[in-house]
């Protein structure tokens, strides 16, 4: 369930593990992290996954999503969107600042 970090963990920003998300709820980066680990367990390669951190243009607030590359196409898994969007479609709603995975940090 979507919950503010201050409510779930007593601090203003906390990156929860998938287990903590299941037990206490969490916010956008917690959902993105959980999707990242689930994708890795399903066989996705490190270079085909990134957690993107940036700004939701509609809500005018910080936000995090999961970027996934499948068969050369880029998709975004966003807990605020009902559908999976291409990165291009999602860019109408989101400005990326940086991306991370297990190996690399990208600054946009």
């Amino acid at each position: 369930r979507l919950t503010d970090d201050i409510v779930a963990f007593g601090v203003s920003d906390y990156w929860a593990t998938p287990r903590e998300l299941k037990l206490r709820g969490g916010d956008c980066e917690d959902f993105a992290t959980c999707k990242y680990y689930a994708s890795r367990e399903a066989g996705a390669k490190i270079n085909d996954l990134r957690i993107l951190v940036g700004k939701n243009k509609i809500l005018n607030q910080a936000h995090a999503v999961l970027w996934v590359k499948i068969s050369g196409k880029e998709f975004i898994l966003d807990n605020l969107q009902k559908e999976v969007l291409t990165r291009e479609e999602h860019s109408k709603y989101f400005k990326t600042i940086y991306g991370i995975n297990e190996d690399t940090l990208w600054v946009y």
Side-chain angles (χ1 to χ4, degrees), residues 22-106:
K22 183 178 178 182
L23 294 173
R24 297 182 179 189
D27 58 11
C28 58
E29 76 273 359
D30 306 322
F31 282 94
T33 301
C34 189
K35 292 172 191 176
Y36 181 95
Y37 282 107
S39 297
R40 289 287 287 134
E41 285 185 20
K45 306 269 191 256
I46 292 171
N47 291 334
D48 293 334
L49 297 170
R50 300 177 190 168
I51 296 174
L52 300 181
V53 178
K55 182 178 181 179
N56 178 297
K57 296 176 186 179
I58 306 300
L59 300 174
N60 195 31
Q61 67 184 26
H63 191 50
V65 298
L66 183 65
W67 172 92
V68 180
K69 190 173 186 179
I70 301 171
S71 300
K73 296 180 181 174
E74 298 178 32
F75 298 95
I76 301 295
L77 304 179
D78 182 343
N79 69 298
L80 298 180
Q81 298 285 332
K82 292 182 180 180
E83 311 85 27
V84 174
L85 301 175
T86 66
R87 182 161 184 201
E88 183 179 329
E89 292 168 330
H90 192 261
S91 69
K92 297 172 191 169
Y93 310 101
F94 185 76
K95 177 177 175 29
T96 304
I97 297 171
Y98 68 91
I100 55 172
N101 69 13
E102 296 164 60
D103 290 339
T104 307
L105 166 68
W106 294 266

